[in-house]
Amino acid sequence: MSRFRPSFFIPFIAFLWLAIIGGMALQSTLSGNRNPSQLPSVLIGKAVPDMALPLLQDRQTKLALGNFQGQPLLVNFFASWCAPCRAEAPALEQLSEQITIVGIAYKDRRSDTVEFLQQYGNPFTAIGMDIDGRAGIVWGLYGVPETYLIDTAGRISWRHAGPLTRDVITTQLLPQMANL
Amino acid sequence: MTRHLPHISVIIGFAIGFIIGAGLLTPATIGTAHALTAEEMLADPVLESRARYLSKQLRCLVCQNQSIDDSDANLAKDLRREVRTQLVAGQTNEAILSDLRAKYGDYVLLAPPLARDTIALWLAPVGFILLGIAITLGMRRRAGQIDSGSGSISSADRGRIDALKRRHENLNKRDTK
């Protein structure tokens, strides 16, 4: 009856194991190292998809990202209907002093985009129109705002889904830009 | 061990069976409401059924646990249209899936592909079933050993057991009178 049975400890070991895994996941989420909703882009290291989008100012001319090759580039998907894009506008304005930024207006009307830029500033060197959202799909876009850092060879080296906060810029974007 | 409770392996067996059964049944019973609107549908019924078939396998990336066939999200709608555009352009099912995989990663597929980093995920259910069978067989064998007696009881003990059994039977006879 009182014989020592190792199987008695199996539930305890199983529980301990689950508790350790759960604890580790919770710890890394709370400390901000892990964000389950941020999925890495599979396009990292790949060439930018060149979509030949019509420009905001002139629909006959197409946006050619290839023209920017040889310099680092920030591509920012935004929309006038997107609230976080408004919050992000000052940060983009500041960044535009350090790096060329190309904007892609995602599923937006030209008149709305123009109004948005008048109100919140225009940090963009060029703006392409992705009226039906197809370019978004080709870029693997989740939503707006979303920002891609392009290296001098025209490859995507970093992506951020969501607004560029001060924290994201200082801890991720600026170190990435320094590496280019 | 309490005999009136079902054996732990039976409980585990039922639990596994229930989980598998629920997984197989839910798409058929619950998946009746979908977000597809009439104007999105293709005129060609063959292409449309292929579009529906593909849409059910693709994840709505902003809702994350719905297929694009089920989701009302704008991105899901755009992806449905993308699937249909590519179908009309004559692409095969495999080409469409691999194209979206190249843009959004394996995550866009609701069923993760069998690869080196997902092999544990795919083999885990089989492993758990085998583990359950092994535990059940092991417990049965041990129970069998106890019942049949392994011959390690000395003749003196055997005599005492027989004496106790006789006494027990006599007591029972007296009680039933």
Side-chain angles (χ1 to χ4, degrees), chain A residues 114-180:
Chain A
V114 168
E115 203 176 308
F116 174 84
L117 295 173
Q118 276 167 358
Q119 205 170 345
Y120 298 98
N122 182 358
F124 305 117
T125 307
I127 297 157
M129 299 300 292
D130 180 20
I131 308 264
D132 57 3
R134 264 210 87 184
I137 290 176
V138 173
W139 283 73
L141 193 80
Y142 279 61
V144 275
E146 207 162 303
T147 308
Y148 297 78
L149 178 65
I150 317 297
D151 67 13
T152 50
R155 285 185 307 253
I156 296 172
S157 64
W158 177 82
R159 179 204 65 160
H160 178 72
L164 292 172
T165 58
R166 186 187 296 276
D167 188 49
V168 171
I169 291 170
T170 51
T171 62
Q172 297 181 43
L173 178 56
L174 293 180
Q176 284 284 341
M177 279 165 60
N179 277 342
L180 292 182

Side-chain angles (χ1 to χ4, degrees), chain B residues 13-83:
Chain B
F14 267 110
I16 291 172
F18 179 77
I19 291 164
I20 293 170
L24 291 175
L25 286 176
T26 36
T29 49
I30 300 176
T32 43
H34 46 79
L36 187 70
T37 55
E39 75 256 30
E40 283 179 47
M41 287 172 32
L42 298 172
D44 182 342
V46 178
L47 283 185
E48 179 56 29
S49 76
R50 278 175 63 199
R52 294 296 306 279
Y53 169 76
L54 289 172
S55 297
K56 287 189 170 80
Q57 297 176 51
L58 291 164
R59 185 190 303 274
C60 163
L61 296 136
V62 287
C63 5
Q64 307 205 339
N65 275 328
Q66 271 185 313
S67 73
I68 60 167
D69 193 59
D70 290 328
S71 173
D72 277 321
N74 283 328
L75 184 62
K77 197 173 177 180
D78 290 349
L79 286 169
R80 284 200 295 271
R81 197 180 48 204
E82 178 69 21
V83 165

Side-chain angles (χ1 to χ4, degrees), chain B residues 7 9-10 133-147:
Chain B
H7 199 271
S9 60
V10 176
I133 292 171
I135 290 173
T136 312
L137 288 180
M139 283 180 144
R140 279 192 147 196
R141 190 150 28 132
R142 218 170 53 181
Q145 275 172 359
I146 292 165
D147 286 348

Side-chain angles (χ1 to χ4, degrees), chain A residues 15-144:
Chain A
F15 173 75
L16 206 66
W17 182 62
L18 284 175
I20 289 170
I21 291 176
M24 272 161 40
L26 188 65
Q27 207 272 328
S28 61
T29 306
L30 290 180
S31 67
N33 293 331
R34 175 178 161 276
N35 182 354
S37 65
Q38 274 284 0
L39 290 151
S41 171
V42 283
L43 294 178
I44 302 291
K46 301 217 175 105
V48 285
D50 219 341
M51 290 290 294
L53 295 170
L55 289 178
L56 172 67
Q57 297 85 351
D58 168 19
R59 53 188 89 200
Q60 304 313 321
T61 317
K62 302 285 188 242
L63 173 70
L65 290 173
N67 292 349
F68 295 93
Q69 231 177 58
Q71 55 174 316
L73 184 70
L74 223 48
V75 175
N76 177 257
F77 280 79
F78 72 103
S80 67
W81 45 264
C82 143
C85 299
R86 290 169 206 175
E88 183 185 64
L92 283 176
E93 196 72 61
Q94 246 177 20
L95 278 169
S96 67
E97 292 163 15
Q98 300 173 50
I99 188 167
T100 310
I101 309 178
V102 167
I104 296 180
Y106 178 69
K107 298 177 88 170
D108 209 358
R109 275 200 300 260
R110 281 167 199 276
S111 54
D112 291 346
T113 309
V114 168
E115 203 176 308
F116 174 84
L117 295 173
Q118 276 167 358
Q119 205 170 345
Y120 298 98
N122 182 358
F124 305 117
T125 307
I127 297 157
M129 299 300 292
D130 180 20
I131 308 264
D132 57 3
R134 264 210 87 184
I137 290 176
V138 173
W139 283 73
L141 193 80
Y142 279 61
V144 275

Side-chain angles (χ1 to χ4, degrees), chain B residues 109-135:
Chain B
L109 304 176
L110 279 169
L114 190 59
R116 205 168 40 174
D117 51 344
T118 58
I119 194 99
L121 188 67
W122 278 97
L123 292 185
V126 183
F128 280 122
I129 288 169
L130 290 179
L131 186 72
I133 292 171
I135 290 173

